[in-house]
Amino acid sequence: MSDWSRRPGVAETWEGIDTIPDEELWATHERRRERLVVFARRRLARQLEQRGASARDIDRARGVLNTRALTIGFARRFATYKRADLILQDLERLKAVLLSAERPVQVIFAGKAHPKDREGKDVLKAVVSACQREELRRNLVFIEDYDLVVARYLVQGVDVWLNTPRRGMEASGTSGMKVVPNGGLNLSILDGWWCEGYRPEAGWAIGKGEDYADHAYQDAVESSALYDLLESDVVPLFYGRAADGPPRAWIARMKRSMRLLTPVFSTNRMLWEYAERYYVPAARCYERLSAGGMAGARHMAAWKAAIRRGWAGVQVESVEDASPGSRRVGEGYDLAVVVRLGSVEPKDVAVEAFHGPLSATREIQRGRAVALLLERPLGDGRHRYVGSIPCQRSGMQGFTLRVRPSHAEACELMSTGLVAWWRD
Ligand SMILES: *Cc1c(COP(=O)(O)O)cnc(C)c1O
């Protein structure tokens, strides 16, 4: 497929991943890791030089890291919620993982703290000081001045991308997505994009999405889960190789991650989706409203003003269950509703039953609206509507009713912000 790079958001583009020979993918990946290691050494030496370190220290910096070792990357702003120091919670346990003679592991950190974020700077200090410990300095490296250049080397060269935010705080975690098309595997808390992206066969999840009230306890549990994963899953998979062959189970995981996640978590896909769902309809709407010297916009503005004036008189007056009780899946739940519209006309509203499965606290979950139809006017601004709620699943279901303004030319469903819900 010659135009594959122009169609990254399409699943078929990535299906060819499986036909890449393991040896070739692995050789390319190892070359990227080597480039990252060489880059990190150079940056580290430069950092020391700029700080006026001794010639011996600068020279030693050129010998850190190992081009063949399992390489974990952690790079981001050092906002405290990102918990860069989670992997440092138990240094003895970390040491045992990193310093294995046959199966060495190394972590490359990069990041910046906001100058006014004192706690963030404390985390950064803790990371830097761990990286300076004599026994760890070959396997833990901190690169200063995290920027696009550093990020590029990292996302291309790491084997594992680590993300350990405090759950609920990570909006997205885009750096994890950048690793995917480069063949890196994600090891992350189920937060941000990883809640959607995680597949057991294409990466690792720390925990199962638990929430904690006690932060210190959370850090202890989650760092321990992280070491468990490294010891029993990540490291054995990476070093599981026959003689001098490539790690086939690891490569299979790389391929699955690339094939399944790249088409979904890409800017290309996102932009297409925004364009199709929002930008293009919005542009069409603008054309419609602005045509004829803004005639459409004037008309809509007058309509909205009239609706607003009359809206106080709109209410759901009464609801009749045609026959209360239980229903079988596939049947419908018929109802009739009397709605008071006052000066607002039936053509300007939609009357809807809003329904869905009930939670334990009797709230409607994943609700959907179904339109009711005007049966007849009852006089005095009152109208009778009828309809049927489809019963599509078993268990407790709930419904309520709403009246909202409706106009064929309106650009959004709720463009007036007005809704009259049933209060019984
Ligand atoms: C990707 C990237 C980020 C954002 O990463 P998050 O995981 O979303 O925090 C920040 N800085 C640089 C240089 C990046 O490349």
Side-chain angles (χ1 to χ4, degrees), residues 303 307 310-319 337-342 344-354 369-372 381 383-385 400-406 413-414 416-423:
W303 177 78
I307 294 286
W311 199 252
V314 173
Q315 89 185 73
V316 177
E317 189 179 280
S318 62
V319 179
V337 181
V338 175
V339 172
R340 204 178 262 285
L341 295 180
V344 177
E345 290 189 47
K347 70 170 176 52
D348 289 329
V349 298
V351 177
E352 294 169 330
F354 187 80
V370 52
L372 305 187
H383 303 268
R384 185 176 153 97
Y385 283 78
T400 183
L401 289 130
R402 71 181 183 194
V403 185
R404 60 174 178 82
S406 168
L413 191 67
M414 295 292 178
T416 55
L418 298 170
V419 181
W421 291 96
W422 176 34
R423 291 173 214 275

Side-chain angles (χ1 to χ4, degrees), residues 2-227:
S2 57
D3 66 339
W4 68 271
S5 64
R6 301 218 331 259
R7 310 193 316 132
V10 178
E12 297 88 72
T13 300
W14 298 94
E15 278 162 10
I17 291 282
D18 287 336
T19 63
I20 300 175
D22 285 358
E23 285 75 9
E24 212 167 298
L25 183 62
W26 190 243
T28 305
H29 175 64
E30 292 220 286
R31 216 151 42 234
R32 295 284 148 179
R33 187 191 319 108
E34 283 164 24
R35 280 172 43 136
L36 166 62
V37 165
V38 170
F39 171 79
R41 287 173 180 158
R42 208 166 53 225
R43 287 298 280 262
L44 196 61
R46 201 177 81 191
Q47 283 165 210
L48 288 168
E49 246 166 49
Q50 285 170 347
R51 219 176 293 135
S54 67
R56 176 179 155 273
D57 279 351
I58 295 168
D59 204 43
R60 285 204 320 175
R62 299 205 171 93
V64 302
L65 301 173
N66 172 344
T67 56
R68 316 276 296 171
L70 168 56
T71 304
I72 300 174
F74 184 104
R76 41 194 45 89
R77 291 173 294 114
F78 273 41
T80 28
Y81 80 83
K82 296 202 180 243
R83 294 192 295 180
D85 52 350
L86 193 76
I87 197 173
L88 307 175
Q89 287 266 316
D90 182 343
L91 278 184
E92 289 310 310
R93 212 167 153 193
L94 177 64
K95 236 189 273 179
V97 172
L98 299 184
L99 304 182
S100 157
E102 304 86 53
R103 309 191 304 181
V105 178
Q106 56 199 9
V107 186
I108 304 180
F109 293 95
K112 270 186 196 168
H114 190 278
K116 287 197 180 133
D117 177 6
R118 198 142 54 80
E119 285 178 65
K121 285 201 280 191
D122 287 343
V123 175
L124 203 149
K125 267 188 220 154
V127 170
V128 169
S129 110
C131 293
Q132 287 169 344
R133 291 167 77 106
E134 180 53 32
E135 72 278 23
L136 291 175
R137 58 165 200 89
R138 279 175 219 84
N139 301 61
L140 283 189
V141 165
F142 179 79
I143 301 180
E144 292 169 9
D145 296 327
Y146 179 41
D147 63 5
L148 286 173
V149 175
V150 178
R152 202 170 292 138
Y153 276 99
L154 275 166
V155 298
Q156 291 178 359
V158 294
D159 301 293
V160 171
W161 193 253
L162 179 66
N163 194 19
T164 50
R166 201 175 291 292
R167 235 176 79 78
M169 301 290 287
E170 187 70 279
S172 177
T174 46
S175 51
M177 303 177 198
K178 293 187 273 194
V179 166
V180 170
N182 291 292
L185 293 173
N186 277 275
L187 166 54
S188 173
I189 299 281
L190 288 172
D191 199 16
W193 82 287
W194 202 229
C195 296
E196 295 168 56
Y198 170 64
R199 314 271 188 284
E201 70 281 12
W204 294 275
I206 304 166
K208 294 195 171 67
E210 299 88 348
D211 290 310
Y212 297 83
D214 179 342
H215 285 183
Y217 176 69
Q218 176 179 19
D219 293 350
V221 171
E222 291 181 341
S223 61
S224 174
L226 167 58
Y227 300 129

Side-chain angles (χ1 to χ4, degrees), residues 370-388:
V370 52
L372 305 187
L373 295 177
L374 177 62
E375 189 199 50
R376 62 193 154 90
L378 302 173
D380 209 13
R382 293 162 72 244
H383 303 268
R384 185 176 153 97
Y385 283 78
V386 293
S388 182

Side-chain angles (χ1 to χ4, degrees), residues 198-415:
Y198 170 64
R199 314 271 188 284
E201 70 281 12
W204 294 275
I206 304 166
K208 294 195 171 67
E210 299 88 348
D211 290 310
Y212 297 83
D214 179 342
H215 285 183
Y217 176 69
Q218 176 179 19
D219 293 350
V221 171
E222 291 181 341
S223 61
S224 174
L226 167 58
Y227 300 129
D228 287 344
L229 271 173
L230 289 173
E231 290 161 0
S232 52
D233 281 34
V234 182
V235 175
L237 195 71
F238 183 84
Y239 286 105
R241 324 173 179 194
D244 219 13
R248 298 203 185 271
W250 184 278
I251 296 166
R253 202 171 267 245
M254 282 168 71
K255 286 182 174 175
R256 267 192 303 260
S257 163
M258 293 164 91
R259 178 161 53 77
L260 298 175
L261 303 180
T262 312
V264 186
F265 298 95
S266 81
T267 313
N268 186 283
R269 192 233 79 222
M270 177 189 76
L271 275 178
W272 272 107
E273 204 170 305
Y274 272 121
E276 283 170 358
R277 288 171 61 172
Y278 303 106
Y279 300 160
V280 172
R284 296 234 163 89
C285 200
Y286 174 77
E287 275 170 20
R288 250 189 354 252
L289 291 180
S290 60
M294 295 284 168
R298 275 179 234 280
H299 165 78
M300 280 304 294
W303 177 78
K304 283 185 187 179
I307 294 286
R308 288 216 167 84
R309 274 196 304 275
W311 199 252
V314 173
Q315 89 185 73
V316 177
E317 189 179 280
S318 62
V319 179
E320 300 163 31
D321 296 350
S323 50
S326 58
R327 295 287 183 285
R328 289 174 176 280
V329 169
E331 292 179 345
Y333 190 91
D334 299 336
L335 40 129
V337 181
V338 175
V339 172
R340 204 178 262 285
L341 295 180
S343 65
V344 177
E345 290 189 47
K347 70 170 176 52
D348 289 329
V349 298
V351 177
E352 294 169 330
F354 187 80
H355 65 99
L358 285 183
S359 73
T361 53
R362 302 186 68 81
E363 310 221 13
I364 294 173
Q365 309 269 293
R366 301 184 303 281
R368 290 174 176 218
V370 52
L372 305 187
L373 295 177
L374 177 62
E375 189 199 50
R376 62 193 154 90
L378 302 173
D380 209 13
R382 293 162 72 244
H383 303 268
R384 185 176 153 97
Y385 283 78
V386 293
S388 182
I389 299 173
C391 300
Q392 284 154 332
R393 46 174 75 223
S394 55
M396 286 278 277
Q397 310 288 312
F399 74 89
T400 183
L401 289 130
R402 71 181 183 194
V403 185
R404 60 174 178 82
S406 168
H407 190 295
E409 296 292 309
C411 296
E412 310 149 57
L413 191 67
M414 295 292 178
S415 61

